[in-house]
Amino acid sequence: MGEPARKLDMIDVTPAFTRADAMAMQDRFEGVSAQEMLFELLVGELRGRIAAVSSFGAESAVLLHMIAQVDVEVPVIFTNTQKMFGETLAYRDELSEKLGLTDLRVFRPDPRLLAIKDKTGLRWSYDPDGCCDLRKVEPLRRALAPFDAWISGRKGFQSGTRTALPRFEEDEGRLKINPLADWDKAKLDAYFAEHELPRHPLEAQGYLSIGCAPCTTKVAPGEDPRAGRWRSFDKVECGIHAPTDYDPMI
């Protein structure tokens, strides 16, 4: 008797989510509040498949509080670029403790890549895109490897490049969720007050969007909140997020 044909191992490379899936989610949750949407997804179909990504910046407390109200065990990813403000690191610890977050995951740049590509630590001063890719994008890609979806804290009002921000996007085969896409500053401030959430200590000094220390400056009255990021460079995003060109009709 001949031996049975050997069954080949197959690797499923089908993306967890497609752009069509993201658009379907956009329609499904039209008119549903951010809190209700997060509850339905975090205790339902995305349970165990999703992480939140937070910079622990000026407005991060609102979204993290909403998530903690549903499930404090949702993984929260923080990329420590090793160029962060000390105040941000302290605020991260304070806020995580206050909200009772139980799965804070800190990812750092690969030291081998730093030794090759940023030995002096000054790449931010002449190649901010390369610096962000090395210190933020690559670590986050590693951090998100186990997950099919992730939650972002972006809001449409933050800059002109985010005005058409949808709640759901497809990102490298994952579902990216922006629960606060349609929130404005007044609504965020009201949430802070209602829930007595601590503010980032640098916000009172005029830092309205807080990233790495070398590439973050204070924002003047009337400027976009993100005007203080990469000032004097032709750069508006770190590479984790592309400038939004969403068209709901596509």
Side-chain angles (χ1 to χ4, degrees), residues 2 23 25 50-51 53 59 83 87 100 102 105 109 112-113 151 157 167 170 174 181 194 200 221:
M23 294 177 68
M25 285 283 199
I50 190 169
V53 175
E59 299 154 351
K83 296 287 184 183
E87 290 89 342
T102 63
R105 305 186 184 190
R112 295 166 298 176
L113 292 177
I151 304 169
F157 81 91
R167 276 177 150 188
E170 180 276 331
R174 295 184 183 87
E194 179 184 356
H200 193 296

Side-chain angles (χ1 to χ4, degrees), residues 24-42 66 166-168 177-183 187:
M25 285 283 199
Q26 186 78 12
D27 292 339
R28 172 181 162 187
F29 288 100
E30 181 71 29
V32 178
S33 73
Q35 293 95 320
E36 291 176 279
M37 182 182 75
L38 284 168
F39 181 84
E40 183 169 340
L41 292 174
L42 294 179
M66 287 183 183
R167 276 177 150 188
F168 295 91
I177 307 172
N178 308 303
L180 306 182
D182 59 351
W183 280 47
K187 193 169 182 178

Side-chain angles (χ1 to χ4, degrees), residues 81-133:
T81 65
Q82 300 180 329
K83 296 287 184 183
M84 311 300 290
F85 286 98
E87 290 89 342
T88 296
L89 301 181
Y91 184 61
R92 175 199 65 192
D93 296 343
E94 175 193 1
L95 192 56
S96 297
E97 184 70 22
K98 180 177 178 64
L99 299 180
L101 302 175
T102 63
D103 193 1
L104 176 64
R105 305 186 184 190
V106 179
F107 280 74
R108 297 174 176 82
D110 185 327
R112 295 166 298 176
L113 292 177
L114 286 180
I116 296 169
K117 297 184 176 183
D118 196 13
K119 188 174 182 179
T120 66
L122 295 174
R123 188 160 189 156
W124 62 269
S125 65
Y126 61 88
D127 179 20
D129 285 335
C131 186
C132 285
D133 187 70

